[in-house]
Amino acid sequence: NAGVTQTPKFRILKIGQSMTLQCTQDMNHNYMYWYRQDPGMGLKLIYYSVGAGITDKGEVPNGYNVSRSTTEDFPLRLELAAPSQTSVYFCASNPGAYEQYFGPGTRLTVT
Amino acid sequence: DAKTTQPPSMDCAEGRAANLPCNHSTISGNEYVYWYRQIHSQGPQYIIHGLKNNETNEMASLIITEDRKSSTLILPHATLRDTAVYYCPRNKFYFGSGTKLNVKP
């Protein structure tokens, strides 16, 4: 099992550009999550999903969108990138209970 | 408030036990206590979880107070590789800022 994979590892965006951060898990987990981590800070939940076709907002959803068309994939979309979205983005999954499995992260810089 | 309280940083000598506290005074009766750690800028890694009883695995021990309002993660023989930020998130969603554990030679 590859676990949770995220692409790209690094990305630099200009203000106003858009991009999609990809997240895939091969553990057949129903629950998937997107977090952001600003420098020196903890993780903040952006969006989560409890299964294909079902998503819900977390603590900091503004400026982001998600979709969940399959169990494996949970992409995060930034429509109009802003400097405040400079952060490290982590995707995670779990089967509903128990521990979360995290991906390696995507480091995003918006200039 | 569904948050936890942890000291921002702690030091520990290599080979000694590291005891990391977490306050979760508003935890509900059926809510598990989880601990994770994040080494450098990697994704967080699960360590241990428990409900009421103390738990132990190959990485650590978890002590939960009888009223469940606080817990302590114990690394029995800390090594330099245990230097990391340790989190006890609430509801799996609220990670907070964690405790930066510095293990020193």
Side-chain angles (χ1 to χ4, degrees):
Chain A
N1 284 350
V4 179
T5 57
Q6 294 184 236
T7 57
K9 287 186 171 54
F10 303 93
R11 183 72 185 268
I12 298 175
L13 279 183
K14 293 187 185 304
I15 295 171
Q17 287 185 323
S18 61
M19 76 164 295
T20 299
L21 283 66
Q22 302 290 346
C23 175
T24 300
Q25 54 93 7
D26 61 358
M27 298 171 283
N28 201 34
H29 288 169
N30 285 326
Y31 285 60
M32 296 187 73
Y33 311 83
W34 273 107
Y35 296 89
R36 60 175 287 173
Q37 184 173 36
D38 298 335
M41 306 295 286
L43 283 75
K44 292 187 175 182
L45 183 67
I46 306 172
Y47 271 96
Y48 68 100
S49 169
V50 300
I54 306 170
T55 62
D56 206 348
K57 296 177 180 178
E59 189 180 6
V60 289
N62 291 345
Y64 307 94
N65 281 301
V66 293
S67 59
R68 185 91 182 274
S69 57
T70 67
T71 299
E72 296 77 20
D73 301 305
F74 190 39
L76 178 71
R77 178 80 177 165
L78 283 71
E79 290 294 348
L80 291 170
S84 61
Q85 294 178 304
T86 293
S87 191
V88 181
Y89 291 83
F90 290 103
C91 180
S93 74
N94 72 352
Y98 313 122
E99 69 268 27
Q100 294 184 74
Y101 296 81
F102 283 82
T106 294
R107 189 175 300 273
L108 175 67
T109 301
V110 182
T111 61
Chain B
D1 185 9
K3 300 290 176 63
T4 58
T5 303
Q6 297 180 257
S9 66
M10 294 181 64
D11 291 336
C12 178
E14 189 178 19
R16 303 297 293 268
N19 296 277
L20 295 100
C22 177
N23 181 290
H24 32 78
S25 58
T26 61
I27 195 170
S28 60
N30 60 353
E31 185 179 341
Y32 280 82
V33 175
Y34 285 84
W35 281 84
Y36 292 78
R37 73 179 181 184
Q38 186 175 28
I39 296 174
H40 198 45
S41 56
Q42 299 174 18
Q45 174 193 23
Y46 164 82
I47 300 173
I48 198 168
H49 74 279
L51 185 62
K52 293 182 181 179
N53 299 321
N54 300 336
E55 302 287 346
T56 295
N57 63 21
E58 65 278 5
M59 291 182 67
S61 294
L62 174 61
I63 308 296
I64 303 173
T65 58
E66 192 169 344
D67 62 9
R68 298 198 350 107
K69 291 185 177 181
S70 66
S71 62
T72 300
L73 179 75
I74 301 172
L75 308 178
H77 305 287
T79 70
L80 298 179
R81 288 177 294 178
D82 292 321
T83 292
V85 178
Y86 288 78
Y87 300 96
C88 59
R90 278 296 303 277
N91 298 322
K92 302 180 291 186
F93 296 161
Y94 300 99
F95 273 73
S97 299
T99 296
K100 175 67 189 301
L101 176 67
N102 298 300
V103 181
K104 300 183 176 181

